[in-house]
Amino acid sequence: MALFGRQEKTAGQGTVLPRHIAIIMDGNGRWAQKRGLPRTAGHAAGAETFRRIASYCRDLGIEYLTVYAFSTENWKRSAEEVSAIMGLLKKYLEEAIEKMRRENVRIRILGDTSVLSPELRELIARVEAIDETLDTRTQANLCVNYGGRDEIVRAVKAWQADPGHGELTEGELSKYLYTAGMPDPDLVIRPSGEERVSNFLLWQSAYSEFYFTDTLWPDFTEKDMDRAIEAFRKRDRRYGGVKK
Ligand code: IPE
Ligand code: IPE
Ligand code: MG
């Protein structure tokens, strides 16, 4: 709660804090390489950073934190690296089952989880079941085997297959996305110096503010989050309208 205290106003006009922050957790590999460590050590450090930043967002009163953990393209990496990332996810979910009530952050997994190991799928189901009973305003969405294009294609197919579907409009299609019922991200942060979207939240980020920093994700601190939010607060969001 260093800078802003609890959220007083929601995003939009007179914005105080973003309701929904999304982060592309990038730079783990380079962080490790700089230290002469294997890339997997960078992912372990990045997972720690996520724990810290999720708690910080809860303290700030951010309603939704959506992080990109593993993309539909990340399967191109070595089997060793992929399995290390899945191992970290497993550890995180096991821990969440223990600590979620204390931490009071609701957790959701966004992405095509059908191809994950049965063990991971079981853990995801258990974590999402705890979900329902938590009294918290903060939800952390972990995007795993997530791709923005894949999400849109799946949404169209699900809409098509749903006998109760309405007329196909933007609002209607949104109901079939992984983020159904959630507000769009107000702020998308990408650390590590890359300035691209890499297939993250393509539909939802139509009017998001973007913040880029050279800091590598494992080095990202609460101070970096304060800076990103401060930058966001200075933005003039017009949504295609005119300056007020
Ligand atoms: C982000 O860090 C984590 C994943 C994509 C899983 P990277 O592993 O992409 O790190 P860099 O970009 O190689 O430094
Ligand atoms: C995006 O980072 C995916 C995640 C952070 C999980 P990448 O490192 O995979 O993206 P590119 O390849 O640099 O675009
Ligand atoms: Mg990367």
Side-chain angles (χ1 to χ4, degrees), residues 24-26 68-71 74 77 190 194 196 198:
I24 300 174
M25 304 192 292
D26 196 19
Y68 206 3
F70 192 86
S71 76
N74 286 148
R77 299 183 179 205
R190 182 161 193 165
E194 308 300 349
R196 56 177 170 260
S198 301

Side-chain angles (χ1 to χ4, degrees), residues 2 24 34 37 43 54 76 79 112 149 170 197 199 201 204:
I24 300 174
K34 261 176 47 184
L37 298 169
H43 296 310
K76 292 174 188 164
D112 174 18
R149 288 182 171 181
E170 292 181 12
V197 175
N199 206 9
L201 302 176
Q204 298 86 342

Side-chain angles (χ1 to χ4, degrees), residues 58-79:
R58 176 208 54 209
D59 293 346
L60 290 176
I62 302 298
E63 289 175 61
Y64 295 91
L65 171 69
T66 302
V67 296
Y68 206 3
F70 192 86
S71 76
T72 47
E73 286 73 48
N74 286 148
W75 299 105
K76 292 174 188 164
R77 299 183 179 205
S78 74

Side-chain angles (χ1 to χ4, degrees), residues 13-122:
Q13 272 184 2
T15 296
V16 173
L17 270 183
R19 277 185 78 186
H20 185 171
I21 297 178
I23 307 178
I24 300 174
M25 304 192 292
D26 196 19
N28 295 348
R30 279 164 283 170
W31 182 92
Q33 268 152 11
K34 261 176 47 184
R35 286 165 177 73
L37 298 169
R39 294 179 59 84
T40 49
H43 296 310
E48 275 312 310
T49 302
F50 167 66
R51 287 176 176 86
R52 217 169 5 82
I53 294 299
S55 303
Y56 189 55
C57 286
R58 176 208 54 209
D59 293 346
L60 290 176
I62 302 298
E63 289 175 61
Y64 295 91
L65 171 69
T66 302
V67 296
Y68 206 3
F70 192 86
S71 76
T72 47
E73 286 73 48
N74 286 148
W75 299 105
K76 292 174 188 164
R77 299 183 179 205
S78 74
E80 186 200 355
E81 183 169 350
V82 170
S83 106
I85 294 167
M86 295 303 158
L88 287 163
L89 176 63
K90 175 172 171 271
K91 187 166 161 237
Y92 179 76
L93 293 170
E94 282 167 349
E95 222 177 84
I97 290 165
E98 290 286 305
K99 286 207 245 161
M100 245 164 100
R101 281 177 215 287
R102 219 175 327 134
E103 294 277 320
N104 214 19
V105 175
R106 184 178 298 125
I107 297 164
R108 279 284 164 82
I109 310 297
L110 313 188
D112 174 18
T113 55
S114 71
V115 296
L116 302 181
S117 70
E119 194 186 15
L120 270 176
R121 295 208 312 269
E122 217 257 324

Side-chain angles (χ1 to χ4, degrees), residues 210-244:
F210 283 79
Y211 179 83
F212 298 105
T213 169
D214 287 338
T215 304
L216 302 171
W217 175 247
D219 290 330
F220 195 92
T221 62
E222 289 81 344
K223 190 91 209 131
D224 291 295
M225 185 54 101
D226 288 345
R227 283 194 197 104
I229 294 174
E230 200 48 52
F232 168 81
R233 284 153 55 101
K234 295 199 182 104
R235 304 279 174 91
D236 175 29
R237 303 185 80 187
R238 293 194 291 279
Y239 300 95
V242 290
K243 196 167 167 40
K244 297 235 167 44

